């Protein structure tokens, strides 16, 4: 008897471990998201503190325009002298800073890129608020003249350059590519490294010559306080002598402002990751509910005995919940540990795409631990509550009965609650679609969750046809073994359905994403097909703007009829940042077929603006209205001259002329060039000419229409790959759920397995039986998931039709593959339970109690 | 051991064919000092077409004997032959196929797969072998057990007696060489038990089925052709053409001897 008890305990340990594992994975996702974003935040804050001086002087609101487009405003050099003369200033240093300068490695590859900026500035010995120097020359000499540079250690290392080597650079200035000699290596003042950003140090006059037409100007000035002078005192003093449009701010305030801005961006990454953590947790909840339900059912006789011996309902309830508490606690603690590993993985992953966090710590903050534990414990307890309540309802007399039936809620009740939830969910989604921004998204998400839970509740009923259909197939293909498998999966519909529902949730999201992805790709194709007349497009591989010189050079290539430059920036309208494009309307007219809703492209001049139909709708613009657009240098009053359709070839919210944007204070940087060739020459001829212009500049690439479409689709694919990978964890948890359910079912049916073996079922047939049951569960989950995913996908595509996803595409083949892969996953999930069933000793199994 | 000496089934007409035979069968449990012999060198033949009961007190080894003969358990020493097939040395797969094709089972309880109908349960050993039952024989068996109107029912819709009758039908439908019944009436009321024993008897009389039944019950033993009494892992006595009273009488004698033996040993 002790042997049996011990065996039960071990078996239960494994079962509990499996459900604890679901908690581990879910909590790991939560903890990993926090740890990773904290690490990112720490690294960025380090950089911000390490580069901010006691008092920072810059054009007004400089930070507001830094995220998008290059602010072209400068400060005259004489201001530095004025500031240096202030009694509170120990030091004043003018800085020339330019973004978009990239180092090309010895292998002609771009260093960094794809996110982290390529920074260029002049060397000075300013001290940051951290008390350390912002820059220190480590080795070699400082650069002098136009043809020398210094690099930071990491960049030089990645590019493979030694002091004395010729370095190739890409710049957004007059020389799109240039060569310079590497004279020294500098060290950046912050601890956490540069997060993948590259640092190129030039001679001050060289920078001014390249980017500011040789004017003796600075982009910012750093002040160091004299002893006993506070940041604020020096700031106040500085503001009195500064020219109009230039302001001084305390270093602390600047650092805080920048940290907040970074924090907001990182909060987005965190939220994004946490959404997937949430999905995993929901799936894990199903697994825990199921495990505890089965455990309680298997122990029902024992629990009934306890009740018969005088244990109260509460005590039984509490006994089950205590078990859950222990599982939840262990799972959560382990989850935090695994989350740390996950964060290391994320760090490596982000490192691979250029966000180098090599030097950054992975901090486990108290908040991370608290949130992880609370989430893990709450989910486990919530999930165990229903089974525990049911356990307490077992009648004491059940102890005397042969077979103990668990009290179950009626199917009818489930159907009513389930369909109610589905209805509420759909309503919430509809409201969410109509609503705007974050609130709309949350409502849509909550609605989806409602539908998913509702369908899960109903799935014992709605899933039955799937199993029965599959069963008919099984009978034909596998005979009696198939019938047994089908009957086993119908035996406890709730259990099968709950197990399948976990997979259903994962598959719903996967199918949804695949439909959105396919629709987005098809929409891209269609937009390019319908509206792009330019044969060739030049764009930047890392989505960084490039020098307008390139457009000039291409114009002179033989066979090029016109080059339409397209720029983008983020000025403000009515206090919020908007997405504005700029172009030459005449050239664009030959590059794009732009079916205007109102007005025409030709009406666009330097005092006019075109708006997208969405923008017109949300802001209530009509032709003739005035739009006050706040650029870095000035606010321009522009007249609405036309409305173009949203989601077409023109993806910005507003369109102005190149001159309007430049006058407003943005440095001239192109982000796209549409090239139309003369009909007399072939595409390949023109290509050859343009390729010669672009040679040596790996950041700027030339594409024809198809390649351009492919590049955009490639980006969609990359995003999809990331989302699939993140959803993968939810699928893994769901698969664990199948393993768990099957293992428990096999234990429950020991006697029957023994009988089957006694009358001549071979081990192989037994394994097949378990496998087929597993496949039935997996396919049920996949089919329900794909059906819901298709419904959600079509709904979302309709809702996003005016956001650029205007063509619906349902990738049926891919969806079928998802179902097939799920079936395969079912086979894998069955491996261990099937082995266990086959290994059962026949004699022991048939004599077991 | 050569084949000719181990194939008595095809021996002369004078001697009856042997459906199963055990020779010097031993089965030990435990190890070292704690070793217990459940079977202590049993040799016995079961003649084809006979209904044999194996009786004995708890721990006499009767269940172990049946498990070893039915390819559910392996012997520690000695040999088991089913027909001319020696069981020793067969792997799990071969033993499984042997059970499926040559042996029928009726257990005390949990005889049926709950998810299958009566008919599916009856056909189970054949269908997992990928065979169809001979329709004529199937009808005969169904009519013998009287379950024709219950074929589409699941086990939980049948009474205990009906379930055992389905189990008997399953054991008989594949025309096994031998049927092993382990206390088939142990869980039944006397009327149902009598029914079940009735079919077993009839299948021997009408169809020459060989049946070996382990039982405690002298009344059940009274249905058989021969009763073998076991004690302490060896055959201690046997009775031909038994009646329930004769069996009861013999049991009393044997248990008295056992008590005396224990007393003498102590």
């Amino acid at each position: 008897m002790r042997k049996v008890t011990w065996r039960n305990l071990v078996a239960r340990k494994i079962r509990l471990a499996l459900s604890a594992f679901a908690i581990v994975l879910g909590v790991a996702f939560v903890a990993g998201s926090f740890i990773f974003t904290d690490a990112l935040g720490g690294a960025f804050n380090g950089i911000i503190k390490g580069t901010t001086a006691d008092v920072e002087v810059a054009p007004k609101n400089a930070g507001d325009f830094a995220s998008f487009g290059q602010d072209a405003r400068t400060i005259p050099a004489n201001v530095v002298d004025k500031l240096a003369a202030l009694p509170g200033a120990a030091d004043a240093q003018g800085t020339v800073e330019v973004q978009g300068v990239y180092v090309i490695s010895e292998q002609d590859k771009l260093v960094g890129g794809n996110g982290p900026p390529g920074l260029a500035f002049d060397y000075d010995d300013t001290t940051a608020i951290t008390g350390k120097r912002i820059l220190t020359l480590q080795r070699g000499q400082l650069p002098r003249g136009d043809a020398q540079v210094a690099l930071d250690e990491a960049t030089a290392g990645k590019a493979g350059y030694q002091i004395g080597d010729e370095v190739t650079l890409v710049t957004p200035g007059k020389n799109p590519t240039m060569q310079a000699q590497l004279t020294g290596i500098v060290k950046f003042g912050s601890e956490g490294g540069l997060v993948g950003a590259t640092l190129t140090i030039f001679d001050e006059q060289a920078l001014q010559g390249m980017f500011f037409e040789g004017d003796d100007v600075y982009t910012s000035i750093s002040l160091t306080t004299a002893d006993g002078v506070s940041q604020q005192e020096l700031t106040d003093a500085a503001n009195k002598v500064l020219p109009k449009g230039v302001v001084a701010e305390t270093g602390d305030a600047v650092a805080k402002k920048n940290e907040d801005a970074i924090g907001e961006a990182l909060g987005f990454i965190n939220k994004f990751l946490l959404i997937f953590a949430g999905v995993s947790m929901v799936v894990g909840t199903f697994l825990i509910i199921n495990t505890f339900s089965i455990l309680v059912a298997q122990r029902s006789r024992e629990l009934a005995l306890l009740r018969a011996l005088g244990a109260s309902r509460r005590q039984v309830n509490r006994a089950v919940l205590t078990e859950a508490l222990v599982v939840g606690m262990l799972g959560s603690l382990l989850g935090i540990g695994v989350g740390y590993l996950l964060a290391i993985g994320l760090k490596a992953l982000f490192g691979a795409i250029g966000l180098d966090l090599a030097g950054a710590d992975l901090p486990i903050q108290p908040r991370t631990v608290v949130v992880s534990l609370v989430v893990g414990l709450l989910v486990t307890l919530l999930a165990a509550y229903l089974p525990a309540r049911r356990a307490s309802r077992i009648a004491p007399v059940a102890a005397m009965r042969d077979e103990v039936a668990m009290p179950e809620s009626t199917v009818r009740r489930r159907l009513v609650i389930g369909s109610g939830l589905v209805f509420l969910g759909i309503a919430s989604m509809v409201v969410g679609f109509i609503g705007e921004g974050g609130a709309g998204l949350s409502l849509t998400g909550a609605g989806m969750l409602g539908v998913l839970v509702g369908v899960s509740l109903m799935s014992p009923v709605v899933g039955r046809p799937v199993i029965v259909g599959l069963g008919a197939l099984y009978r034909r293909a596998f005979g009696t073994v198939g019938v047994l498998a089908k009957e086993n999966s119908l035996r406890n519909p709730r259990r099968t359905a709950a197990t399948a529902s976990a997979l259903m949730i994962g598959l719903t999201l996967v199918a949804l994403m695949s439909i959105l992805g396919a629709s987005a790709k098809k929409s891209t194709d269609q937009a390019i097909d319908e509206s792009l007349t330019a044969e060739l497009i030049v764009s930047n591989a890392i989505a960084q703007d490039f020098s307008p010189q390139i457009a000039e050079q291409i114009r002179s290539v033989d066979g090029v009829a016109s080059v339409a430059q397209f720029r983008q920036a983020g000025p403000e309208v009515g206090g919020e940042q908007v997405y504005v494009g700029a172009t030459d309307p005449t050239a664009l007219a030959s590059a794009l077929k732009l079916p205007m809703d109102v007005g025409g492209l030709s009406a666009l001049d330097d005092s006019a603006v075109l708006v997208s139909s969405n923008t017109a709708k949300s802001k209530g613009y009509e032709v003739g209205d005035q739009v006050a657009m706040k650029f870095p240098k000035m606010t321009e009053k522009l007249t609405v001259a036309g409305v173009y359709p949203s989601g077409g070839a023109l993806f910005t919210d507003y369109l102005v002329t190149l001159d309007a944007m430049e006058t407003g204070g943005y440095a001239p940087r192109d982000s796209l060039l549409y090239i139309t060739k003369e009909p007399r020459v072939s595409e390949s001829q023109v290509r050859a000419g343009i390729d010669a212009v672009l040679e040596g500049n790996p950041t700027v690439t030339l594409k024809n229409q198809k390649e351009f479409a492919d590049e955009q689709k490639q980006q969609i694919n990359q995003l999809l790959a990331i989302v699939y990978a993140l959803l993968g964890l939810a699928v893994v948890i769901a698969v664990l759920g199948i393993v768990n359910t099957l293992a428990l079912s096999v234990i429950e049916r020991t006697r029957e397995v023994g009988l089957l073996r006694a009358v001549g079922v071979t081990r192989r047939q037994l394994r097949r039986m378990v496998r087929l049951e597993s496949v039935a569960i997996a396919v049920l989950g996949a089919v329900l998931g794909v059906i819901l995913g298709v419904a959600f996908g079509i709904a979302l595509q309709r809702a996003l039709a005016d956001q650029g996803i205007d063509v619906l595409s349902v990738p049926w083949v891919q969806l079928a593959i998802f179902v097939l892969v799920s079936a395969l996953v079912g086979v894998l999930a069955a491996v261990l339970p099937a082995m266990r069933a086959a290994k059962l000793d026949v004699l022991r199994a048939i004599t077991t109690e | 051991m050569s084949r000719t000496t181990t194939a008595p089934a095809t021996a002369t007409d004078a001697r009856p064919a042997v459906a199963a035979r055990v020779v010097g069968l031993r089965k030990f449990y435990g190890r070292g000092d704690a070793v217990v012999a459940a079977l202590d060198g049993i040799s016995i033949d079961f003649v084809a077409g006979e209904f044999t009961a194996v009786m004995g007190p708890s721990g006499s080894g009767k269940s172990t004997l049946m498990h070893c003969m039915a390819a559910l358990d392996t012997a520690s020493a000695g040999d088991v032959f089913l027909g001319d097939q020696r069981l020793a040395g067969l792997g799990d797969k071969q033993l499984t196929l042997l059970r499926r094709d040559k042996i029928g089972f009726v257990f005390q309880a949990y005889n049926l797969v709950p998810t299958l109908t009566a008919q599916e349960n009856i056909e189970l050993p054949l269908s997992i072998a990928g065979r169809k039952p001979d329709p004529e024989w199937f009808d005969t068996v169904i009519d013998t057990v009287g379950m024709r109107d219950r074929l589409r029912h699941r086990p939980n819709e049948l009474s205990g007696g009906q379930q055992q009758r389905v189990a008997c039908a399953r054991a008989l439908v594949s025309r096994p060489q031998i049927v092993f019944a382990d206390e088939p009436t142990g869980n039944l009321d006397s009327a149902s038990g009598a029914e079940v024993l009735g079919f077993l008897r009839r299948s021997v009389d009408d169809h020459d089925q060989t049946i070996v039944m382990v039982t405690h019950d002298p009344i059940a033993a009274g249905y058989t052709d021969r009763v073998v009494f076991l004690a302490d892992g060896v055959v201690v006595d046997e009775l031909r053409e038994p009646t329930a009273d004769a069996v009861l009488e013999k049991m009393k004698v044997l248990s008295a001897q056992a008590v005396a033996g224990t007393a003498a040993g102590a």
Side-chain angles (χ1 to χ4, degrees):
Chain A
M1 189 60 214
R2 194 188 299 158
K3 197 168 174 183
V4 175
T5 317
W6 188 78
R7 271 175 176 273
N8 268 342
L9 210 72
V10 171
R12 205 192 294 159
K13 238 186 243 161
I14 295 167
R15 293 170 234 171
L16 289 176
L18 271 170
S19 47
F21 199 58
I23 302 281
V24 171
L25 287 183
V27 170
F29 217 141
V30 173
S33 306
F34 277 115
I35 295 172
F36 176 68
T37 39
D38 284 346
L40 269 180
F44 280 112
N45 290 351
I47 294 181
I48 289 167
K49 287 219 173 71
T51 48
T52 307
D54 293 342
V55 175
E56 288 287 338
V57 176
K60 203 173 171 197
N61 298 327
D64 297 351
F65 299 102
S67 58
F68 217 162
Q70 170 109 31
D71 195 335
R73 291 176 294 172
T74 52
I75 309 169
N78 61 11
V79 176
V80 178
D81 302 331
K82 266 194 243 170
L83 291 171
L86 288 173
D91 187 24
Q93 299 272 357
T95 304
V96 183
E97 183 190 330
V98 177
Q99 295 204 10
V101 175
Y102 288 96
V103 177
I104 307 301
S105 77
E106 289 210 292
Q107 291 80 36
D108 287 335
K109 287 259 167 58
L110 183 81
V111 177
N114 235 340
L119 303 173
F121 38 90
D122 59 321
Y123 185 89
D124 58 43
D125 47 15
T126 308
T127 306
I129 48 177
T130 52
K132 288 184 185 160
R133 287 177 55 164
I134 296 174
L135 286 173
T136 323
L137 180 68
Q138 271 193 309
R139 282 179 281 140
Q141 309 279 316
L142 288 176
R144 284 187 200 294
D146 289 348
Q148 289 190 344
V149 290
L151 295 174
D152 70 285
E153 180 97 59
T155 304
K158 277 185 210 154
Y161 289 128
Q162 312 283 337
I163 289 176
D165 285 355
E166 279 288 301
V167 173
T168 309
L169 297 164
V170 174
T171 83
K174 267 193 233 151
N175 314 313
T177 55
M178 63 174 285
Q179 301 279 322
Q181 194 195 18
L182 182 64
T183 59
I185 300 292
V186 294
K187 185 177 181 302
F188 194 65
S190 78
E191 292 299 325
L194 280 157
V195 200
T198 58
L199 206 58
T200 311
I201 304 298
F202 285 89
D203 175 64
E204 185 178 296
Q205 268 137 36
L207 273 179
Q208 288 167 341
M210 275 187 284
F211 297 99
F212 300 101
E213 273 130 30
D215 295 345
D216 193 7
V217 292
Y218 296 108
T219 53
S220 66
I221 301 168
S222 303
L223 302 183
T224 309
T225 51
D227 285 345
V229 179
S230 75
Q231 287 186 2
Q232 192 59 51
E233 284 161 359
L234 181 56
T235 304
D236 292 342
N239 272 328
K240 285 190 189 113
V241 298
L242 285 173
K244 196 169 168 287
V246 180
V247 290
E249 283 177 279
T250 63
D252 290 344
V254 170
K256 168 100 177 49
K257 201 164 69 180
N258 289 338
E259 283 175 5
D260 288 349
I262 291 281
E264 205 173 302
L266 293 180
F268 183 75
I269 295 183
N270 198 16
K271 252 183 223 152
F272 179 76
L273 290 173
L274 283 180
I275 285 175
F276 292 96
V279 170
S280 301
M281 283 312 250
V282 170
V283 173
T285 307
F286 276 84
L287 174 50
I288 299 162
I289 293 181
N290 224 13
T291 306
F292 273 92
S293 298
I294 301 173
L295 286 181
V296 165
Q298 288 181 349
R299 286 161 62 202
S300 52
R301 197 183 257 268
E302 177 194 326
L303 295 171
L305 187 65
L306 283 176
R307 293 274 286 128
L309 292 177
S312 69
R313 283 191 171 191
R314 250 180 97 153
Q315 282 171 312
V316 170
N317 193 331
R318 210 183 295 152
V320 176
L321 283 182
T322 307
E323 214 169 281
L325 196 73
V326 172
V327 170
M329 192 74 198
L330 287 176
S332 305
L333 285 175
L334 255 172
I336 295 171
V338 176
Y340 187 79
L341 299 178
L342 199 69
I344 293 177
L346 279 172
K347 190 169 137 176
L349 190 77
F350 275 71
I353 40 176
L355 200 66
D356 187 0
L357 286 168
D361 291 334
L362 291 172
I364 304 183
Q365 291 187 4
R367 180 258 280 125
T368 308
V369 176
V370 170
V371 171
S372 302
L373 283 181
V374 166
V375 167
L377 283 178
L378 268 185
V379 165
T380 322
L381 284 180
L382 272 178
Y385 175 71
L386 287 177
R389 212 176 59 149
R390 238 186 294 149
S392 69
R393 287 218 195 116
I394 298 171
V397 69
M400 319 305 163
R401 289 207 195 110
D402 217 18
E403 274 173 42
V404 181
M406 285 297 292
E408 302 253 26
S409 59
T410 61
V411 171
R412 180 195 290 268
R413 213 175 106 201
R414 274 174 162 251
L415 272 179
V416 169
I417 298 176
S419 49
L421 270 175
V422 169
F423 179 78
L424 281 178
I426 292 175
S428 171
M429 278 172 71
V430 170
V431 176
F433 287 156
I434 300 167
E436 291 270 321
L441 268 179
S442 307
L443 271 175
T444 308
M448 282 188 185
L449 187 67
V451 174
L452 283 172
V453 173
V455 172
S456 305
L457 279 174
M458 294 195 291
S459 58
V461 178
V462 298
R464 200 183 155 85
V466 178
I467 301 273
V468 171
L470 210 58
L473 219 70
Y474 278 3
R475 179 191 287 271
R476 193 159 298 180
F478 304 103
T480 306
V481 174
V483 174
L484 283 168
K486 171 203 134 191
E487 292 297 337
N488 280 341
S489 37
L490 284 175
R491 194 171 200 166
N492 195 331
R494 285 181 183 81
R495 189 185 296 178
T496 302
T499 313
S501 295
L503 190 63
M504 172 188 86
I505 293 175
L507 259 285
T508 300
L509 296 176
V510 168
L512 165 65
M513 289 315 297
S514 78
I515 289 172
L516 286 186
S519 299
K521 283 188 260 184
K522 201 165 172 193
S523 304
T524 303
D525 268 341
Q526 183 169 310
I528 288 174
D529 234 36
E530 284 180 352
S531 52
L532 194 64
T533 46
E535 288 87 0
L536 295 168
I537 296 104
V538 166
S539 68
N540 189 296
I542 51 168
Q544 295 284 339
D545 296 345
F546 48 88
S547 163
Q549 284 301 314
I550 291 174
E552 280 314 310
Q553 291 168 7
I554 291 175
R555 275 197 187 99
S556 57
V557 169
D558 187 42
V560 169
S562 87
V563 176
Q565 289 162 279
F566 189 82
R567 296 175 186 166
Q568 38 196 350
E572 287 179 4
V573 171
E576 57 176 297
Q577 195 176 39
V578 293
Y579 185 21
V580 175
T583 192
D584 168 10
T586 325
L588 194 71
S590 63
L592 294 180
K593 262 185 294 186
L594 201 59
M596 297 288 289
D597 289 349
V598 187
L601 200 54
S602 53
L604 183 63
D605 61 32
D606 293 350
S607 61
V609 60
L610 301 181
V611 298
S612 76
S613 53
N614 274 348
T615 314
K617 204 163 72 183
S618 64
K619 304 253 176 166
Y621 290 139
E622 280 176 35
V623 170
D625 284 357
Q626 289 267 313
V627 178
M629 201 173 275
K630 188 177 163 202
F631 287 98
K633 262 186 203 163
M634 59 197 281
T635 299
E636 295 186 35
K637 288 215 168 16
L638 303 169
T639 312
V640 175
V643 180
Y644 54 87
S646 293
L650 253 186
F651 39 85
T652 56
D653 297 329
Y654 296 82
L655 188 67
V656 299
T657 60
L658 296 173
D659 281 346
M661 193 174 271
E662 224 170 303
T663 316
Y666 280 107
R669 304 280 152 84
D670 292 336
S671 51
L672 273 176
L673 303 178
Y674 297 104
I675 299 158
T676 317
K677 69 174 179 63
E678 285 172 11
R680 65 178 170 87
V681 290
S682 72
E683 189 186 302
S684 55
Q685 268 176 297
V686 182
R687 268 195 103 130
I690 299 173
D691 276 336
V693 171
L694 299 179
E695 212 197 329
N697 188 339
T699 63
V700 178
T701 52
L702 176 68
K703 287 149 275 237
N704 63 20
Q705 290 189 1
K706 186 179 172 307
E707 290 159 342
F708 183 58
D710 287 346
E711 187 183 68
Q712 298 193 8
K713 286 189 278 186
Q714 191 57 38
Q715 285 168 8
I716 297 172
N717 282 340
Q718 270 174 14
L719 187 69
L720 276 182
I722 293 174
V723 171
Y724 286 158
L726 291 171
L727 285 175
L729 201 62
V731 174
V732 167
I733 296 178
V735 172
L736 282 179
I738 299 179
V739 175
N740 214 7
T741 300
L742 286 176
L744 292 173
S745 297
V746 166
I747 293 169
E748 219 172 40
R749 299 174 197 155
T750 299
R751 181 106 209 186
E752 187 181 325
V753 168
L755 171 68
L756 288 171
R757 294 277 289 129
V759 300
V761 171
T762 60
R763 287 200 164 132
R764 207 184 151 140
Q765 286 174 316
L766 202 61
R767 280 198 295 267
R768 178 178 293 159
M769 185 184 88
V770 177
R771 201 154 49 224
L772 288 176
E773 184 181 352
S774 176
V775 169
I777 298 175
V779 168
L780 173 62
V783 166
L784 290 182
V786 165
I787 291 173
L788 282 181
V790 168
F792 287 170
I794 293 174
L796 262 186
Q797 184 272 324
R798 292 274 175 269
L800 293 173
D802 55 4
Q803 307 279 326
I805 306 183
D806 49 355
V807 192
L808 175 70
S809 167
V810 181
W812 293 112
V813 175
Q814 205 181 347
L815 294 176
I817 291 173
F818 288 153
V819 175
L820 282 180
V821 169
S822 302
L824 210 70
V825 162
V827 171
L828 286 178
V831 168
L832 285 175
M835 237 157 70
R836 198 184 172 123
K839 268 198 193 148
L840 278 178
D841 183 76
V842 184
L843 198 57
R844 192 170 280 153
I846 54 171
T847 51
T848 198
E849 270 308 314
Chain B
M1 209 173 279
S2 78
R3 190 156 274 260
T4 45
T5 59
T6 62
T10 54
T12 59
D13 289 339
R15 275 181 62 191
V18 173
R21 143 184 293 180
V22 297
V23 182
L25 194 67
R26 287 167 193 279
K27 177 74 182 177
F28 304 117
Y29 291 109
R31 55 174 64 172
D33 291 341
V35 76
V36 176
L39 296 176
D40 203 2
I42 283 190
S43 296
I44 189 170
D45 286 0
F46 293 93
V47 176
E50 251 187 12
F51 190 177
T52 309
V54 178
M55 297 194 77
S58 294
S60 61
K62 56 186 191 304
S63 289
T64 308
L65 174 66
M66 194 195 79
H67 290 151
C68 289
M69 289 175 65
L72 289 170
D73 205 350
T74 50
S76 307
D79 266 319
V80 176
F81 299 93
L82 277 187
D84 54 0
Q85 173 71 60
R86 185 175 175 223
L87 297 196
L90 294 185
D92 177 78
K93 166 127 196 183
Q94 289 156 302
L95 290 176
T96 304
L97 297 184
L98 195 76
R99 288 199 299 270
R100 188 183 79 188
D101 299 333
K102 299 271 171 70
I103 301 174
F105 283 104
V106 183
F107 299 108
Q108 182 175 359
Y110 298 105
N111 258 304
L112 306 178
V113 178
T115 48
L116 299 181
T117 62
Q119 176 162 5
E120 285 167 332
N121 264 294
I122 292 170
E123 291 173 353
L124 186 60
L126 287 170
S127 63
I128 54 181
R131 291 203 301 266
K132 283 263 158 216
D134 169 8
E136 224 171 287
W137 176 240
F138 182 79
D139 284 341
T140 312
V141 170
I142 295 306
D143 292 334
T144 311
V145 299
M147 291 298 295
R148 184 165 292 285
D149 55 340
R150 290 272 195 272
L151 285 178
R152 302 229 158 269
H153 290 59
R154 299 251 170 123
N156 60 2
E157 297 160 334
L158 301 174
S159 71
Q162 288 170 330
Q163 289 187 25
Q164 280 313 72
R165 283 195 266 160
V166 172
C168 292
R170 183 195 59 213
L172 296 172
V173 80
S174 59
R175 294 184 197 262
Q177 203 167 324
I178 189 163
V179 171
F180 290 103
D182 187 359
E183 306 264 13
T185 57
N187 272 10
L188 301 182
D189 60 75
S190 53
S192 307
E195 272 177 2
V196 168
L197 289 164
F199 315 128
L200 294 178
R201 181 69 250 170
R202 238 174 297 151
S203 63
V204 174
D205 292 342
D206 300 350
H207 308 294
D208 285 335
Q209 181 64 57
T210 312
I211 301 179
V212 176
M213 171 173 76
V214 168
T215 185
H216 272 110
D217 179 8
I219 299 171
Y223 281 79
T224 62
D225 300 314
R226 172 194 185 201
V227 183
V228 177
F229 294 94
L230 260 57
D232 298 329
V234 290
V235 177
V236 289
D237 207 342
E238 80 166 73
L239 207 62
R240 286 234 155 237
E241 309 297 329
T243 62
D245 289 340
V247 173
L248 197 59
E249 202 53 43
K250 185 65 93 185
M251 284 167 75
K252 279 181 189 159
V253 173
L254 287 173
S255 65
Q257 280 174 1
V259 171
T262 314

